Amino acid sequence: MSPARREQIGQRKTQQRDAIAAVIRQSDGPLTIVEIHLRARRRVAGRQLGIATVYRTVNLLLQREVIHSVILGDGQTRYESAGLDHHHHFRCRVCRTVYDLPGCMLDPPAGARLPAGFRVETHELTLYGTCPRCSRPPRRANR
Amino acid sequence: MSPARREQIGQRKTQQRDAIAAVIRQSDGPLTIVEIHLRARRRVAGRQLGIATVYRTVNLLLQREVIHSVILGDGQTRYESAGLDHHHHFRCRVCRTVYDLPGCMLDPPAGARLPAGFRVETHELTLYGTCPRCSRPPRRANR
DNA sequence: TTCATTGCAAAGTTTTTGCATCTTT
DNA sequence: AAAGATGCAAAAACTTTGCAATGAA
């Protein structure tokens, strides 16, 4: 009888995992899988980094709540450190840049004014519009 | 010379399209493609409804802004009528059901308390937690 | 009768998984 | 040496697209 497969994941420290975790930790905005892959790839010396490992590691970090996923409604899941202060995001409709917005703008602190029985654990708020750079119409043609 | 393919979509009224549009219009929460397919299927009499038609029709309705997509990051895009009053969503962590939450809980009515220069046009808020049904622990084993 | 619409199947994407190999411990 | 981790390729899940057949107008 073959012993059941009882792999314990997340037990070992590897270059790939370190690179992926560091990339997310050091980013100044949430990153997509592809972005994480591209950046982490440059950090592993003398070996490769497959996209499958990125997916596996990101899912591991999610489970451990080292990172959170960020949904911006464009169909691309992004990931950011879980250790950041509570904040929300702003995505510019024009240049697509995502900005972190410090603080929380939820009035009833995520719970009140809800139909009875709903227990809120987390929330995600994203604002969409035009960022300072894209709002300001150029006054002159060349400048 | 063969004439260019110049198909004009959305020109004809069919049972399939009517069924799909009605299902979304009458729902009390955003629906996934599969949910739309299941429900619309029951409404077409004497013919079939392929999943491809659901995708095509949903994309047509999206283009015309008859419906909007709702992305909650669980890998399932959902769709809802564009005509609804402003509202937000709650997704139950346990049963995955998505509920509509009427009204808005944003304190600074979506604009104030932002760094200067950011012009907010829309926003999206999603609450995650446990719904009434899943919060209430069963008092007895059989009931 | 014309040509948009449909279903099916094939092709594209994105994410997950099986497995042999490699590497950490 | 043992068992977790990786890369690759295959599989799974989700969408889109080509095409012949169907059906709305």
Side-chain angles (χ1 to χ4, degrees):
Chain A
M1 183 205 298
S2 69
R5 239 278 166 110
R6 95 195 72 201
E7 199 172 296
Q8 305 273 52
I9 68 171
Q11 303 304 295
R12 293 177 183 176
K13 182 176 162 65
T14 67
Q15 260 193 71
Q16 288 91 334
R17 279 184 181 166
D18 287 348
I20 291 166
V23 159
I24 298 174
R25 199 178 331 109
Q26 293 167 17
S27 173
D28 55 351
L31 299 174
T32 64
I33 289 287
V34 171
E35 290 167 337
I36 295 168
H37 187 206
L38 287 173
R39 298 187 189 192
R41 198 167 224 175
R42 297 195 226 102
R43 287 169 171 260
V44 295
R47 63 195 68 179
Q48 300 193 283
L49 206 199
I51 192 83
T53 297
V54 179
Y55 277 108
R56 276 188 286 230
T57 302
V58 162
N59 285 333
L60 175 66
L61 296 174
L62 277 175
Q63 271 194 349
R64 306 218 165 154
E65 302 196 67
V66 172
I67 66 176
H68 288 154
S69 55
V70 176
I71 307 303
L72 296 176
D74 62 347
Q76 307 250 254
T77 304
R78 292 176 175 76
Y79 303 91
E80 67 180 9
S81 283
L84 303 174
D85 288 339
H86 182 65
H87 66 284
H88 296 300
H89 297 102
F90 179 101
R91 192 179 77 209
C92 178
R93 209 177 24 71
V94 179
C95 64
R96 318 246 127 172
T97 303
V98 177
Y99 298 82
D100 282 353
L101 298 177
C104 185
M105 303 175 196
L106 257 208
D107 178 11
R113 205 189 292 183
L114 270 182
F118 284 89
R119 204 157 48 190
V120 175
E121 291 163 9
T122 61
H123 67 270
E124 226 173 282
L125 169 66
T126 308
L127 306 183
Y128 301 91
T130 318
C131 72
R133 183 179 314 223
C134 296
S135 295
R136 197 183 313 136
R139 294 286 169 79
R140 305 190 182 83
N142 58 333
R143 204 204 165 201
Chain B
M1 183 203 300
S2 71
R5 242 274 165 115
R6 96 197 72 200
E7 200 171 293
Q8 304 274 53
I9 68 170
Q11 303 302 294
R12 292 178 184 174
K13 182 176 163 65
T14 67
Q15 259 194 72
Q16 288 91 333
R17 279 184 182 166
D18 287 349
I20 292 165
V23 160
I24 299 174
R25 201 180 329 110
Q26 293 166 16
S27 173
D28 55 352
L31 299 175
T32 65
I33 289 288
V34 171
E35 290 167 338
I36 295 168
H37 187 206
L38 287 174
R39 299 186 189 193
R41 199 168 224 174
R42 298 195 226 104
R43 288 168 170 259
V44 295
R47 64 197 68 184
Q48 301 192 282
L49 207 201
I51 193 84
T53 296
V54 179
Y55 278 108
R56 277 187 286 232
T57 302
V58 161
N59 284 333
L60 176 64
L61 297 174
L62 277 176
Q63 270 195 349
R64 305 213 166 158
E65 303 197 65
V66 172
I67 65 176
H68 288 153
S69 55
V70 176
I71 297 182
L72 297 177
D74 62 348
Q76 310 248 252
T77 303
R78 293 174 174 78
Y79 303 91
E80 67 181 8
S81 284
L84 302 174
D85 288 338
H86 181 65
H87 66 284
H88 296 300
H89 298 105
F90 180 101
R91 192 179 77 211
C92 179
R93 209 177 24 72
V94 180
C95 66
R96 318 247 126 172
T97 303
V98 176
Y99 298 82
D100 281 352
L101 298 177
C104 186
M105 301 173 196
L106 257 209
D107 176 12
R113 205 189 294 181
L114 269 182
F118 284 89
R119 205 157 49 190
V120 175
E121 291 163 10
T122 61
H123 66 270
E124 246 168 72
L125 169 65
T126 308
L127 306 182
Y128 300 91
T130 318
C131 74
R133 180 178 318 220
C134 296
S135 293
R136 196 183 314 137
R139 296 285 170 78
R140 306 190 181 82
N142 58 335
R143 206 207 164 196

